[in-house]
Every structure is written in C-alpha cells, then in structure tokens.
Amino acid sequence: MSSGEPVWLRAQPSRTRHRRPLTREGIVDAAVALLDEHGADGLTMRRLAERLNVTATALYWHVRTKDDVLDLAVDRIFGDVPIPEPTDAWADDLRVLVRGWRAAMLDHPWAPGLVGRPMLGPNVLARTEFLQAALVRGGYRGRRLAVVTRLLANVVVGSSLTEATWRRASDPEARTAARAHVASHPDAYPTLVASGHLDDARWNDDLLFEEGLTAVLGAAPP
C-alpha cells in the first residue's frame, strides 16, 4: 500500500490535467466522512470514488494510494484542534491545546490509530510547534523537551484510542459485566478491585485524562 515518499513531500499535480471538478480538498472531505462511517479498514479507493461519483482512476491524479488519503485525513482532523493565543500561563495554554486534540480524536474514533503514521501535514506541525513552544516557555529544553512532547502525545493518543475502542466495542451491559467480572475475583485481583478498575462512575475518562496531564508535567519538571 505504501508509496514510499510521504504525500507531504510531493508536489500536488497540476489540476489542469483533469477535467472533472475534483480537488484534493474534496477527496479529503469525502474520505473523512467515509472514515467516520466505516473506519480505516472500511475505506477503499473504490468506495471513495463512488462517494465522489468519479472513477477510481480519477483519484490518482491527486493521491497515489490509500495511505495518502489517510495521511491527508488525519491532518484534516488536526485542523479541528483550536490553537489558543499564547499567554504567560504556558501550562494552561498547553492544556487547552491537548484537550482540543483529545476531543478531535474522540469525534473521529478512527484517527488515534493512525497517528503513528508520518506526521508532516501543516495542521499537525502547527499544533506540535505550539505545544513545544509552550513547553519551552515553561523551561523545557533539549532531551527533556523531546521526552515531555512524546509523553503528552502518548497520553492524548493512548487515552483517545482506549476510549474510542471501548465505546465502539462495548454496550452498557458489556461494561457492567466487565466490572462485575473483576469485582467477583477479589482474591485474584485485589488491587484492581480496590482501585475500582473499569468503574466509570468512580474514575471517569475526563478525570483520568486531566490527572494524566498533571502526572506528566509533574513527573518531568524542566
């Protein structure tokens, strides 16, 4: 599936070579809609062409592979993440950014699983620049800056992926059954039972996410 060089490092082809009113932007719009409906596994070039009412061949004037489409779609989602105006409160600025990042991931549950792909799109890079600039204002430099950047990304992507997967795979009865299963084995899992593992009422996702941010910033001071 891979075409080697990332889509971000290749120039867009001339639009005059194709007569249909088809653009890369339109392709990405349709791709995001299909991804929201069917997930990454359900996106095919044929299905995308059908959604756009064009032939699959027409798509290849603008993108080479499905990988290109996925990279472009992920960057489009990052465009939904608000970039706040920088203030003197660098940690608050950072929290605003990563909260928006998490919200965008949860709005598009297919996205967290693709974030490990080459992240060279303008929307991704602009938000990564803001994140690191906020950390620099907080005193982070060098390797410490790289470590905390990676940790924050892992908190956002990991929590979003877990939440999105759990929401897709479980109905309320299944979640209740999972909690009951753990609670019914206190001898085997005493720590899990005591900590309220899988107990949404006790430890909701929003709380765990906020505590995760605090833990990262507190555990790795500049």
Side-chain angles (χ1 to χ4, degrees), residues 138-163:
Y140 292 87
R141 298 288 190 281
R143 184 170 62 183
R144 183 69 66 180
L145 174 63
V147 167
V148 176
T149 299
R150 178 68 63 85
L151 287 174
L152 289 170
N154 288 344
V155 168
V156 176
V157 176
S159 64
S160 301
L161 183 60
T162 299
E163 290 178 52

Side-chain angles (χ1 to χ4, degrees), residues 3-139:
S3 62
E5 188 179 38
V7 63
W8 306 111
L9 303 182
R10 304 194 305 267
Q12 292 195 48
S14 172
R15 294 178 182 176
T16 61
R17 298 176 65 187
H18 196 278
R19 295 181 180 179
R20 292 182 181 274
L22 186 66
T23 64
R24 178 176 282 184
E25 291 75 18
I27 291 171
V28 177
D29 287 341
V32 170
L34 284 172
L35 287 162
D36 287 344
E37 295 170 14
H38 303 289
D41 291 340
L43 176 68
T44 65
M45 298 299 275
R46 179 177 179 179
R47 179 174 278 173
L48 181 57
E50 290 174 350
R51 174 63 64 94
L52 290 163
N53 196 29
V54 299
T55 65
T57 303
L59 297 176
Y60 294 110
W61 286 111
H62 304 273
V63 292
R64 291 183 183 176
T65 65
K66 176 180 172 179
D67 281 351
D68 283 1
V69 176
L70 294 175
D71 290 343
L72 292 162
V74 169
D75 195 66
R76 171 66 59 80
I77 298 312
F78 270 81
D80 295 337
V81 180
I83 299 179
E85 288 294 326
T87 70
D88 293 335
W90 66 270
D92 291 342
D93 294 348
L94 189 150
R95 286 179 180 274
V96 171
L97 181 79
V98 296
R99 285 169 184 154
W101 182 3
R102 172 179 174 245
M105 296 291 100
L106 292 177
D107 285 343
H108 304 278
W110 50 270
L114 300 177
V115 172
R117 301 175 56 75
M119 304 293 283
L120 298 175
N123 290 325
V124 171
L125 292 179
R127 283 144 186 86
T128 305
E129 170 67 22
F130 182 92
L131 185 149
Q132 286 210 342
L135 289 171
V136 168
R137 296 202 310 276

